[in-house]
Amino acid sequence: MNHKIIIIGSTGGIGQALFETMSSDNDVSDIIGVAHSKNADFLIDYYDEQSIFNLAQSLREIEFKPTVIIVATGYLSDSINRPETQISQFSQERAHENYTLNMIGPSLIAKHLLPLMPRNKDIYFGILSAKVGSISDNKLGGWHSYRASKAALNMMIKNLSIEWKRKNPLSRIIGLHPGTVDTKLSKPFQRNVRPEKLFTPERAAKQILDVLLQCPAEHSGSLLSWDGSIITP
Ligand SMILES: NC(=O)c1ccc[n+]([C@@H]2O[C@H](COP(=O)([O-])OP(=O)(O)OC[C@H]3O[C@@H](n4cnc5c(N)ncnc54)[C@H](OP(=O)(O)O)[C@@H]3O)[C@@H](O)[C@H]2O)c1
């Protein structure tokens, strides 16, 4: 297929596995890694739109027209801010961080990089989201800012898919739920996860790529799980 690929977040847990898997794939002609704080071909920061504009300009200058973009960034918690279990723990700072890293940042990537993708052939724009962003699937509550930011991301993915189908009917703009993957993001929350349900980043990367690259155009706008099933919003 000779894909030209961009991985946003190529040094994260899942992003690095995606980058390494695609780098050794015969169907890939070019791959570019974009990261936040570590070594990569380009650096960006979701708090700085100019850095994403600059990325797009640099790609235009080298005439890089990606056919696959995967946004593998995201945020759940850090050593100070744990996910909320009650509304009393909700704060502007925590919500702002979740929205910036889970919804606004990937939307800025779409704003600046979708226009670089070809208009006349199959294109794949996958964003790592999460099943906990499904409103109908929410039985446990909690994790207010993370859930809400992923639900907002899922809405943005649907909106983008409608907008882009008018420009390219062969576009797939897809949310991807990777399952529970053994990375920095999930480490503090793995205690109750059965070992067979905790995927290595390498396995998760292969599953995500299969789902994204086999997705029919009519499923654009969906949130797809690692096994290919559609998650109800
Ligand atoms: N792991 C799981 O079990 C799981 C489950 C469901 C959904 N997901 C989703 O999968 C995605 C990837 O998760 P992961 O487990 O691979 O997480 P991770 O290892 O923590 O990686 C997070 C990525 O986000 C990047 N990032 C952080 N701040 C940024 C900023 N200001 N600007 C741009 N990029 C920034 C990080 O870059 P730096 O390291 O350079 O800061 C890193 O590449 C997330 O969207 C997550 O919600 C994961």
Side-chain angles (χ1 to χ4, degrees):
M1 283 232 194
N2 247 352
H3 280 305
K4 285 174 173 277
I5 315 240
I6 300 176
I7 307 290
I8 308 289
S10 61
T11 57
I14 299 173
Q16 185 171 359
L18 283 166
F19 187 83
E20 284 166 5
T21 305
M22 295 303 259
S23 296
S24 56
D25 189 319
N26 291 335
D27 280 343
V28 174
S29 63
D30 285 295
I31 181 161
I32 284 178
V34 177
H36 169 227
S37 59
K38 301 184 200 101
N39 283 343
D41 298 305
F42 297 96
L43 293 182
I44 53 157
D45 182 353
Y46 284 166
Y47 285 93
D48 173 18
E49 182 174 356
Q50 184 68 38
S51 69
I52 303 169
F53 174 85
N54 292 346
L55 166 67
Q57 282 299 92
S58 303
L59 293 170
R60 266 195 196 91
E61 277 162 24
I62 59 172
E63 294 183 20
F64 193 89
K65 296 189 171 68
T67 53
V68 179
I69 296 177
I70 305 181
V71 182
T73 51
Y75 170 80
L76 170 58
S77 66
D78 54 49
S79 54
I80 299 162
N81 285 319
R82 314 310 288 169
E84 313 93 328
T85 53
Q86 322 174 28
I87 192 63
S88 57
Q89 296 160 342
F90 184 85
S91 71
Q92 281 197 335
E93 182 202 354
R94 203 189 299 241
H96 190 245
E97 182 132 41
N98 272 277
Y99 270 79
T100 302
L101 298 183
N102 291 328
M103 192 278 278
I104 299 171
S107 303
L108 291 172
I109 294 291
K111 173 181 170 183
H112 292 288
L113 298 198
L114 265 176
L116 303 183
M117 300 184 90
R119 297 287 168 98
N120 55 354
K121 54 166 116 162
D122 294 278
I123 58 163
Y124 303 83
F125 189 95
I127 304 179
L128 272 286
S129 184
K131 191 177 178 182
V132 298
S134 160
I135 292 173
S136 58
D137 187 68
N138 184 1
K139 311 281 189 298
L140 289 175
W143 293 20
H144 300 314
S145 295
Y146 183 72
R147 276 187 194 276
S149 66
K150 291 293 191 183
L153 171 65
N154 295 341
M155 177 60 87
M156 185 58 88
I157 289 167
K158 181 72 184 178
N159 266 4
L160 286 169
S161 74
I162 293 168
E163 183 178 334
W164 224 256
K165 196 162 282 296
R166 297 183 191 123
K167 299 181 199 291
N168 180 355
L170 298 174
S171 56
R172 284 85 160 159
I173 301 180
I174 295 291
L176 295 159
H177 169 62
T180 307
V181 187
D182 187 10
T183 66
K184 180 170 67 98
L185 180 142
S186 70
K187 261 296 180 268
F189 312 102
Q190 291 178 2
R191 205 169 349 119
N192 297 325
V193 181
R194 281 183 279 135
E196 69 276 16
K197 289 279 182 193
L198 183 64
F199 300 142
T200 62
E202 294 71 29
R203 177 171 170 189
K206 288 198 180 75
Q207 292 173 160
I208 290 164
L209 287 167
D210 281 351
V211 168
L212 178 64
L213 298 180
Q214 287 169 25
C215 174
E218 57 268 28
H219 286 171
S220 188
S222 304
L223 172 61
L224 298 179
S225 188
W226 57 271
D227 61 1
S229 58
I230 294 181
I231 296 171
T232 320

